[in-house]
Amino acid sequence: MLVACRDNGEKISLGEQWKRNELDKWRQKEGFFCPQCGKKVILRLGNKRIWHFAHQKDSGCESEHERESEYHMSGKLQLYEWLKEQSVAAELERYIPECKQRADIAFEWNKKKYAVEFQCSPITVELLAGRTEGYINHGFTPIWIAGGNQIKRTSANCLAMSEFQFLFLRRQGRRWMFPAYCAETRQFILLQHILPISSSKALASFHPISRSEFPLLRLLEFPSVTDHSFKCWVRELNRQKSNLLHYHGRGQKNFLNELYYNRLNLLMLPPELGLPVPSSPFIQTPPLLWQTFIYLDHFHDTPLGKVISTADILKSFLHRVRRRQIQIRRLPLAEYGDFRYAIREYLELLVSLALLENVNPQYYRLASRLGIPHTMEGQLQAESAFWNTHGNRIMANS
């Protein structure tokens, strides 16, 4: 904690420029109190850690249980200094009594109020959603910034993502992004055009930018980015298929058994299964699996010309959710959408590929069958032809 109240009620912020002897004199003459709970706190002026206030043991204050790390306090202080350098009226650790929440930083910009949360440790979706709702209901726009020490880049354009990190996703038009900040390198990291390939891996555009070269406006209005190469998606999709065969758990084993029961080979599935769609982050299960389930339930061995309702597709999808074959995901920072958006986007993508026809907004007609290769050579040829023909358009619309 970097802010406390003096005996007279005046706030003292360690985010300002203080000399050690000044703080030492105050510490000897008077006490300091938590702005949130009002209980006494201790001013710690060590040589190894950032100067901070700490509650006495078992104080019962809600903020005591947040257990701020050195990394979190340092990053929060740097973000506060970054705002002050841009002449932004910012307040460190502002307690908002109306919603009983303490923002890491609060500030006003262009007559709008913002609350910054620099989150470096995992929290539940319920807590993140509750704090977000609390800010919004009291006139603040929340800005969640992930700790940069948690970003795990697996290749030039691939990111390992935990369920906690998925909670940070925000819409940027139809696409997804989230900001991070590294207290060690003093850099912002913009992660944009995030496309999940599995439950724990996604394609992403990485943009590390020095704090001194990063204006506030860029945090509030992310610039657009170029499309991913379809070759990256295909490479990661094939890698996922290989991993499914060699390192599958119970859920993946059931998926493979269902393929076997339907006389299908994982390595020779048609390329129309496992496509990126804009709302896919709402579904935790990889696109390859949930789209294959839709294929098995409604298109495999189905007569050409049959009319299929969106309601039936949704019903079978939810049946698999109840059986835990498909898992959906809650994204508290998304302004709109849910898993049904992803299903609709996939069906419309199949329409654009001439596999389905629109009958009306609620019904589709099966227009052609998905070709099932019978040899690996045939699979490679079909995959190459499909992606060379449609790949750029699919990635541009994802």
Side-chain angles (χ1 to χ4, degrees):
M1 190 165 70
L2 301 174
V3 175
C5 293
R6 298 173 57 193
D7 284 335
N8 62 3
E10 178 186 326
K11 284 186 179 179
I12 174 173
S13 169
L14 299 180
E16 308 308 324
Q17 299 297 318
W18 295 103
K19 293 181 179 179
R20 187 189 183 108
N21 62 339
E22 293 177 315
L23 295 173
D24 247 336
K25 287 180 182 178
W26 276 4
R27 185 168 59 173
Q28 293 169 17
K29 291 192 300 183
E30 59 181 293
F32 301 101
F33 303 88
C34 173
Q36 186 167 342
C37 69
K39 293 184 179 179
K40 193 167 185 177
V41 292
I42 302 165
L43 173 58
R44 299 193 185 279
L45 301 174
N47 295 320
K48 294 183 178 180
R49 297 195 67 195
I50 290 175
W51 296 347
H52 64 282
F53 297 99
H55 281 84
Q56 295 179 334
K57 190 176 180 181
D58 300 325
S59 70
C61 181
E62 184 179 328
S63 65
E64 179 192 13
H65 304 293
E66 294 178 3
R67 295 183 180 181
E68 285 186 275
S69 65
E70 182 80 0
Y71 185 90
H72 177 259
M73 283 194 293
S74 176
K76 176 169 59 175
L77 193 55
Q78 290 174 32
L79 289 170
Y80 172 72
E81 292 168 349
W82 168 72
L83 288 168
K84 297 288 282 185
E85 287 165 2
Q86 299 177 75
S87 301
V88 175
E91 182 178 344
L92 190 63
E93 293 184 353
R94 177 175 174 181
Y95 180 65
I96 306 168
E98 294 84 1
C99 58
K100 298 180 180 179
Q101 294 175 192
R102 186 186 68 181
D104 283 333
I105 307 166
F107 69 91
E108 291 195 20
W109 176 264
N110 288 342
K111 299 182 180 180
K112 286 185 67 176
K113 295 189 294 184
Y114 295 89
V116 175
E117 290 278 5
F118 180 51
Q119 193 64 41
C120 301
S121 58
I123 59 175
T124 65
V125 61
E126 290 79 15
L127 181 57
L128 188 144
R131 290 183 69 84
T132 297
E133 186 177 348
Y135 287 131
I136 292 173
N137 289 343
H138 292 88
F140 287 82
T141 298
I143 301 174
W144 289 86
I145 301 175
N149 58 344
Q150 300 178 40
I151 304 302
K152 296 180 180 179
R153 194 173 183 176
T154 60
S155 67
N157 48 16
C158 264
L159 172 70
M161 288 189 68
S162 65
E163 278 305 301
F164 166 65
Q165 288 173 323
F166 272 103
L167 299 181
F168 286 84
L169 291 189
R170 289 163 31 188
R171 287 272 195 185
Q172 183 184 12
R174 284 163 57 87
R175 293 176 173 176
W176 299 90
M177 49 69 64
F178 74 84
Y181 181 77
C182 181
E184 294 170 349
T185 62
R186 295 176 178 256
Q187 285 184 320
F188 283 93
I189 306 167
L190 301 188
L191 298 142
Q192 295 177 266
H193 197 183
I194 296 170
L195 283 176
I197 188 75
S198 73
S199 59
S200 58
K201 184 185 254 189
L203 294 188
S205 295
F206 293 79
H207 302 279
I209 306 165
S210 169
R211 188 184 82 175
S212 61
E213 299 174 359
F214 190 82
L216 172 59
L217 189 61
R218 192 161 185 184
L219 179 64
L220 303 179
E221 300 177 7
F222 273 42
S224 59
V225 295
T226 56
D227 302 328
H228 291 299
S229 165
F230 68 79
K231 293 180 181 179
C232 296
W233 180 267
V234 175
R235 181 193 66 228
E236 293 301 325
L237 187 63
N238 287 330
R239 186 173 292 169
Q240 182 186 37
K241 290 178 182 179
S242 178
N243 289 338
L244 274 172
L245 285 177
H246 296 98
Y247 309 105
H248 50 263
R250 182 179 177 183
Q252 292 85 355
K253 186 176 181 179
N254 290 337
F255 171 72
L256 295 174
N257 286 340
E258 189 161 352
L259 289 182
Y260 178 79
Y261 176 80
N262 285 279
R263 305 178 302 282
L264 294 171
N265 184 327
L266 173 66
L267 298 180
M268 290 191 283
L269 291 176
E272 293 85 356
L273 304 180
L275 301 180
V277 293
S279 298
S280 62
F282 285 111
I283 304 176
Q284 183 179 345
T285 301
L288 174 65
L289 273 67
W290 66 261
Q291 291 172 18
T292 300
F293 283 137
I294 289 178
Y295 166 72
L296 292 173
D297 292 338
H298 299 283
F299 308 142
H300 186 56
D301 291 338
T302 299
L304 285 178
K306 182 177 179 181
V307 174
I308 305 162
S309 73
T310 306
D312 283 343
I313 293 173
L314 181 61
K315 182 179 178 181
S316 62
F317 188 94
L318 288 173
H319 178 67
R320 289 188 181 272
V321 170
R322 288 191 293 272
R323 293 174 62 188
R324 298 187 178 181
Q325 295 174 327
I326 296 176
Q327 293 179 293
I328 56 179
R329 182 186 279 125
R330 184 181 175 191
L331 301 176
L333 304 185
E335 295 180 354
Y336 66 91
D338 59 22
F339 69 94
R340 288 168 290 195
Y341 278 63
I343 295 173
R344 173 70 75 174
E345 289 161 359
Y346 179 57
L347 295 176
E348 291 299 320
L349 180 53
L350 296 183
V351 170
S352 73
L353 296 171
L355 296 166
L356 296 179
E357 292 176 353
N358 281 117
V359 177
N360 62 45
Q362 300 302 322
Y363 289 89
Y364 296 90
R365 179 181 290 108
L366 186 61
S368 64
R369 292 194 180 283
L370 274 66
I372 306 294
H374 297 290
T375 65
M376 282 305 301
E377 182 181 359
Q379 160 64 22
L380 292 173
Q381 290 175 351
E383 181 181 272
S384 177
F386 175 85
W387 284 102
N388 285 329
T389 302
H390 306 290
N392 290 331
R393 176 169 58 85
I394 289 173
M395 301 309 292
N397 292 325
S398 62

